[in-house]
Amino acid sequence: MTSAREIMTGGAECVGAEETVAEAARKMAQLGVGALPICGTDQRLKGMLTDRDIVVKVLGKGLDPTDTKAGDLAQGEAVTIGADDDAAEILRTMTAHKVRRLPVIDGHDLVGVVAQADVARALPDPQVGDLLEALSTD
């Protein structure tokens, strides 16, 4: 079966936990992405920051994106997938945690990100439908 390493987008860049949300937004714009992994000073993954997080949790609450740190938006333990985990495990993890993107780690190193679209291309249609349904409901 297809592994995360085979379907991921490699070369994922982190936003540092101490970088501001404004810096993260600029990085997202430069890279043309809607989410960035948040990495601590120890280079360990702290979570994911999405463009929606910036709008809802920062701008929507009247916070200043030039003062708010990306790490302030990391919630709990980061949900990840191992580089050698198969597509079925990716599907289970995305469904269980209701996430559309999973950072891919090899040991403690971030090696890429698997997005919902990557999984959709790797799985048979019925499983893709189940994933979309699971992620679309509250």
Side-chain angles (χ1 to χ4, degrees), residues 114-132:
V114 172
Q116 179 180 337
D118 300 322
V119 178
R121 284 189 291 274
L123 292 176
D125 288 344
Q127 289 178 300
V128 172
D130 292 344
L131 174 63
L132 294 175

Side-chain angles (χ1 to χ4, degrees), residues 98 100 132-138:
K98 292 193 175 273
R100 289 176 165 78
L132 294 175
E133 183 179 339
L135 295 179
S136 297
T137 58
D138 286 339

Side-chain angles (χ1 to χ4, degrees), residues 71-95:
D72 294 344
L73 301 179
Q75 297 178 345
E77 183 139 348
V79 178
T80 63
I81 196 77
D84 296 319
D85 288 343
D86 65 26
E89 180 62 23
I90 297 166
L91 176 66
R92 282 191 293 276
T93 303
M94 284 183 160
T95 302

Side-chain angles (χ1 to χ4, degrees), residues 30 39 41 86 89:
Q30 288 171 342
C39 294
T41 54
D86 65 26
E89 180 62 23

